[in-house]
Amino acid sequence: MVKEGYRNTSIGVIPDDWKVERLSDVGKVTGGNTPRRSTDEYWGGDIPWLTPSQLTGKLINEISETDEYITEKGFENSSVKLLPPGTVIMSSRATIGETVINKVPMTTNQGFANIICDENKVYNYYLLYLLRYITPRLEALAGGSTFLEISRTNVRSVNIPVPSLLEQKKIASILSSVDKSIEKIDEVIEETKELKKGLMQELLTKGIGHSEFKDSQFGKIPKSWEIKQVKNTGKVITGSTPRTADEENYGGYKLLVGPGDLTDNKYIYNSEKKLSEIGFEKTRKLPKGSILVTCIGATIGKMGIAGIELSTNQQINSIICNNRYDNEFVYYCLNKNFRIYKSYISNQAVPIMNKTTFSNLSLPVPSLEEQKKIASILSSVDAKIKKEEEYKNKLERLKKGLMQKLLTGEIRVNTDMEV
């Protein structure tokens, strides 16, 4: 039963006064090309040339600069198209549906389907958001064995909901305002991360209130600080994995942490693999507060602190700090210096830092009182970053909900309001 004022269409339920149009009816769909790479005179000019990799994972609405530029000769001797400002540029290969609007004339490679909008039918920023929203539908039309690709023919045939231009602009304005809030939060997060980086460099080498310094492998450090090894800070444990063939070991709620579970979050409260009580009893259990460090492979040096009692697999070495060391200080100190530690194993094809090597790593260490002060300062910055990231996640959830409701007409906007 469709509620009053709405109707069923080929793309779902939409308001009665909205149209269903093919993309080819609201704009010209065109592609791009790559000038011959072997001809140097085709490259390094003034004409922006965009590739999908420049958009991957970056939620940006507008673009003015590209990583690469082509020359007039490159343009004339290939089938690249010069897109007018305001074109909706959409990735159509590998990662499908990433969209951006060019602010300057621009060319692209063949990994895009670009829509030059008919301004009398569709507002480009409305279309930008709509294409992102219907990405699953676009992916369903894609083919390819190596990577997904949607043809421009299929792009042209896609049906989209088209409200009045005024309503389109209002919808885009609402979504854009949320995007701007997200961008501001991103700026705050990046600024705070830079602040933390500077504080780590300052506090973990110069400490608090020192006037006398000495040389060390870490550079100048306070004269009163000592160089200690990781094994001095507490008990070092290498994780293990219960037999996967024994079903009784798995399926519970106890954490078995692997490298993939160590993210940018300092504290670890979850893991992809879960153990039963039986399986957990077979592991080397780690108390809350233990420091976890990945010691093999591409993610070597990734670390976290156990937020609850847990265990790890054998790719992680852990430290249970004794009462002379603050676990958060040790965590920050390891984090700052791991680039130095990695140089010890740089000649290995697969980087591995075994328990012995890890246990013998050196740390510059102040008194316990100063450790706690330093850790407290850095933790407060981490708390600010986490708070901002949580707010950003909240805004992103809000935006997702708004897109679903506004771009289907489930919620109508007040077109009398100024855009």
Side-chain angles (χ1 to χ4, degrees):
M1 183 76 177
V2 179
K3 67 179 180 179
E4 187 178 351
Y6 290 77
R7 60 192 172 94
N8 270 315
T9 70
S10 60
I11 55 172
V13 176
I14 62 172
D16 281 335
D17 58 335
W18 285 24
K19 297 177 182 177
V20 175
E21 301 270 18
R22 285 159 54 103
L23 269 176
S24 59
D25 293 330
V26 298
K28 181 182 178 183
V29 180
T30 185
N33 195 251
T34 303
R36 195 163 52 242
R37 284 284 187 185
S38 58
T39 306
D40 290 343
E41 61 183 1
Y42 290 174
W43 297 91
D46 299 317
I47 303 171
W49 182 79
L50 186 67
T51 65
S53 62
Q54 195 172 337
L55 301 184
T56 303
K58 299 173 185 174
L59 195 62
I60 54 174
N61 291 346
E62 299 171 348
I63 191 166
S64 298
E65 298 179 351
T66 54
D67 292 339
E68 293 185 273
Y69 290 77
I70 62 173
T71 63
E72 288 288 345
K73 280 194 174 182
F75 179 78
E76 291 165 1
N77 289 279
S78 66
S79 56
V80 294
K81 308 286 192 306
L82 190 64
L83 304 171
T87 299
V88 179
I89 297 172
M90 183 188 81
S91 59
S92 58
R93 177 183 291 182
T95 303
I96 292 171
E98 293 196 326
T99 54
V100 71
I101 290 173
N102 58 316
K103 300 297 286 181
V104 298
M106 189 171 291
T107 62
T108 74
N109 76 355
Q110 52 272 46
F112 292 96
N114 307 310
I115 302 104
I116 303 170
C117 297
D118 181 338
E119 295 179 359
N120 295 314
K121 293 183 177 179
V122 68
Y123 180 52
N124 56 353
Y125 285 88
Y126 168 80
L127 186 58
L128 173 97
Y129 288 113
L130 181 66
L131 290 172
R132 289 175 183 169
Y133 176 66
I134 66 169
T135 292
R137 192 143 63 89
L138 297 171
E139 289 173 339
L141 295 172
S145 54
T146 306
F147 49 75
L148 285 178
E149 181 170 11
I150 181 170
S151 69
R152 288 194 292 280
T153 299
N154 280 342
V155 171
R156 292 185 184 102
S157 70
V158 170
N159 286 327
I160 61 167
V162 183
S164 70
L165 277 171
L166 193 57
E167 192 165 358
Q168 290 179 44
K169 289 179 179 179
K170 188 60 188 176
I171 290 170
S173 175
I174 293 169
L175 295 174
S176 178
S177 68
V178 181
D179 271 342
K180 285 174 183 173
S181 296
I182 292 172
E183 285 173 15
K184 286 179 182 176
I185 294 296
D186 269 334
E187 288 173 8
V188 172
I189 291 170
E190 287 309 307
E191 287 170 3
T192 312
K193 284 181 176 178
E194 284 301 310
L195 170 65
K196 178 187 169 185
K197 193 184 296 183
L199 283 171
M200 285 181 71
Q201 179 61 33
E202 183 77 13
L203 294 171
L204 295 171
T205 54
K206 296 182 179 179
I208 300 172
H210 295 276
S211 57
E212 294 186 90
F213 297 86
K214 62 184 177 182
D215 291 325
S216 78
Q217 67 196 83
F218 302 99
K220 295 278 187 183
I221 61 171
K223 194 173 181 180
S224 61
W225 286 23
E226 297 181 275
I227 300 296
K228 295 290 185 179
Q229 292 179 307
V230 164
K231 61 188 174 186
N232 300 134
T233 68
K235 186 176 181 181
V236 178
I237 294 174
T238 300
S240 62
T241 303
R243 275 174 51 89
T244 54
D246 294 345
E247 292 183 8
E248 65 175 8
N249 291 332
Y250 294 87
Y253 59 91
K254 294 291 188 179
L255 306 192
L256 178 64
V257 175
D261 299 312
L262 301 183
T263 63
D264 291 334
N265 294 324
K266 179 165 69 173
Y267 283 94
I268 309 302
Y269 292 100
N270 203 357
S271 65
E272 186 177 341
K273 286 189 177 180
K274 300 291 195 304
L275 297 173
S276 65
E277 291 283 359
I278 294 171
F280 192 60
E281 289 300 319
K282 297 175 182 177
T283 65
R284 303 179 179 106
K285 290 177 278 189
L286 299 168
K288 176 182 177 180
S290 301
I291 303 165
L292 284 52
V293 185
T294 301
C295 287
I296 184 171
T299 58
I300 191 167
K302 201 76 176 172
M303 59 187 73
I305 298 176
I308 56 175
E309 184 185 44
L310 51 76
S311 60
T312 76
N313 69 14
Q314 57 271 34
Q315 294 177 296
I316 294 176
N317 285 324
S318 303
I319 309 166
I320 304 172
C321 289
N322 60 42
N323 59 12
R324 297 188 303 279
Y325 294 87
D326 181 84
N327 65 332
E328 289 200 342
F329 173 84
V330 175
Y331 162 83
Y332 287 121
C333 201
L334 284 171
N335 218 312
K336 176 189 174 295
N337 294 307
F338 216 87
R339 181 179 54 81
I340 298 173
Y341 304 146
K342 283 172 74 172
S343 67
Y344 304 160
I345 54 170
S346 59
N347 62 339
Q348 297 178 5
V350 178
I352 298 175
M353 188 171 286
N354 61 33
K355 181 179 177 180
T356 301
T357 303
F358 180 72
S359 299
N360 290 329
L361 295 178
S362 297
L363 300 171
V365 180
S367 67
L368 180 58
E369 182 184 4
E370 190 173 356
Q371 289 177 44
K372 289 181 180 294
K373 286 180 181 178
I374 291 170
S376 176
I377 293 168
L378 295 175
S379 291
S380 68
V381 180
D382 270 337
K384 177 173 174 56
I385 293 171
K386 185 178 180 182
K387 182 180 178 182
E388 298 296 344
E389 286 176 337
E390 286 173 350
Y391 183 47
K392 178 185 173 182
N393 290 337
K394 183 178 178 180
L395 286 175
E396 286 176 336
R397 290 193 298 271
L398 169 65
K399 179 185 168 186
K400 186 177 179 181
L402 283 172
M403 288 178 76
Q404 193 277 324
K405 294 180 183 300
L406 294 175
L407 295 169
T408 59
E410 183 180 341
I411 290 180
R412 303 299 298 274
V413 298
N414 183 353
T415 54
D416 293 331
M417 291 174 64
E418 203 173 307
V419 176

